[in-house]
Amino acid sequence: MKIAVASDHGGFALKEGIKEFLASRGVEIADLGTHTEQPVDYPIYGKACAEAVATGEADGGIAVCGTGIGVSIAANKVRGIRCALCTDAHMAALAKRHNNANMLALGGRTTGIEKAAEIIGTWLDTEFEGGRHQRRVDMLDEM
Ligand code: RB5
């Protein structure tokens, strides 16, 4: 499994921690930047991560900015992307079970690495339920 990760400066430190967590689980990582804490524009990184997922270059994506809000808005503009901004593992489980979220957005200034690891681990380990949820996900993908 390959996961694309990207962040702006507000998410950079958390992204680095996320890479360590993913590596500890044996996940292949595509780091799409940013690579320093110099200020950059979050739409660029949310979009880059989303495009890696939408094109199939990555199996899933994790985008991080200060709050997770900006990168989630950017990612969800890319066709085929269902990016869920999660602040706890329960949200991450439902984002996969019901929404088949193919991306997570996290906030580097709102979520610590331990919580982020719980969220990501839950998202990776949870299966989409399909059934009635498939119809709703299909509706999203038609928009
Ligand atoms: C950058 O200061 C901050 O606005 C950004 O990281 C993010 O929180 C936007 O949603």
Side-chain angles (χ1 to χ4, degrees):
M1 165 177 291
K2 185 171 174 180
I3 298 292
V5 297
S7 74
D8 74 352
H9 54 293
F12 172 73
L14 183 60
K15 171 170 70 68
E16 297 306 295
I18 288 169
K19 283 162 53 185
E20 282 181 28
F21 172 69
L22 291 173
S24 77
R25 287 187 51 130
V27 172
E28 191 183 345
I29 299 158
D31 184 351
L32 306 177
T34 186
H35 300 293
T36 72
E37 291 191 331
Q38 287 301 307
V40 291
D41 298 326
Y42 63 80
I44 293 169
Y45 296 90
K47 181 179 179 216
C49 194
E51 286 179 341
V53 177
T55 60
E57 188 188 316
D59 302 302
I62 302 171
V64 192
C65 62
T67 58
I69 295 170
V71 287
S72 69
I73 293 171
N76 279 315
K77 287 184 176 290
V78 175
R79 180 167 287 276
I81 293 302
R82 296 175 303 280
C83 180
L85 170 55
C86 294
T87 55
D88 63 35
H90 183 58
M91 291 177 75
L94 288 171
K96 183 64 84 63
R97 282 167 47 198
H98 290 190
N99 311 113
N100 201 14
N102 50 13
M103 274 186 69
L104 284 179
L106 297 170
R109 294 173 181 155
T110 60
T111 302
I113 183 57
E114 283 185 18
K115 179 68 76 180
E118 269 178 45
I119 291 168
I120 294 165
T122 301
W123 175 65
L124 291 174
D125 292 341
T126 302
E127 298 288 330
F128 177 48
E129 284 178 5
R132 69 187 190 280
H133 301 296
Q134 183 64 61
R135 185 180 75 251
R136 294 161 183 165
V137 167
D138 289 345
M139 290 169 73
L140 290 176
D141 288 345
E142 283 302 309
M143 288 176 183

